[in-house]
Amino acid sequence: NSANWKRNMFTVMFLKNLGLDVFGDRALWNPLCGGTILSYLCFFGNLECGCAMIDCRSQLRIVLHLFHALKMNGIIREGQIPMLDMLHDCFKSSRGIWEGSLPQKGEFVQRFWICFGMSIADAKRMA
């Protein structure tokens, strides 16, 4: 019983000192708040890393080119696939995906091949 009392007293003394300037704006979090913050940080950290790594084999580039072409031709509407809408909005100005501005009608296939490193003449021939 005495050992528990000492341990509790050290905790109370520590809590009493939290308001001092030495501790700044730190706060103690209960496990629920701490777990929520950790989950939030892990989720968004992994989402950011995933977006950076997803194009290692051109998966993102292929999907976004196809999605943009379908959207421009009216086959898919805005909001129909929310995840792809979000990715499209995030990467619509990325030179790694589009090699310049977004392709317009009539140049989807040519711009797709240019983004994969083909010369302009070869891309025109393939289109």
Side-chain angles (χ1 to χ4, degrees):
N1 218 359
S2 178
N4 287 338
W5 182 81
K6 281 184 181 177
R7 193 172 339 125
N8 289 342
M9 278 307 292
F10 285 124
T11 304
V12 169
M13 288 170 52
F14 175 74
L15 291 174
K16 183 177 77 172
N17 292 330
L18 268 181
L20 298 176
D21 291 337
V22 175
F23 288 98
D25 293 326
R26 294 184 207 167
L28 289 178
W29 295 98
N30 67 32
L32 180 63
C33 290
T36 301
I37 290 171
L38 184 62
S39 295
Y40 181 82
L41 293 173
C42 288
F43 175 76
F44 283 103
N46 288 334
L47 187 62
E48 187 173 334
C49 291
C51 287
M53 296 299 293
I54 195 170
D55 207 38
C56 64
R57 298 195 183 210
S58 303
Q59 301 98 320
L60 183 63
R61 195 177 316 164
I62 292 167
V63 169
L64 285 181
H65 272 270
L66 179 61
F67 179 71
H68 180 70
L70 292 172
K71 207 163 123 177
M72 293 295 291
N73 286 303
I75 298 169
I76 293 178
R77 293 180 318 278
E78 180 96 21
Q80 196 170 352
I81 307 174
M83 182 67 169
L84 285 180
D85 284 330
M86 182 194 71
L87 288 172
H88 188 265
D89 289 341
C90 288
F91 290 99
K92 68 182 169 190
S93 60
S94 172
R95 290 186 57 93
I97 302 291
W98 305 107
E99 286 293 323
S101 62
L102 294 173
Q104 301 302 315
K105 283 187 177 184
E107 58 182 23
F108 295 125
V109 177
Q110 179 184 347
R111 293 284 301 282
F112 176 78
W113 288 119
I114 290 172
C115 287
F116 276 93
M118 273 192 179
S119 68
I120 294 174
D122 289 340
K124 281 183 182 178
R125 192 175 61 242
M126 290 289 287

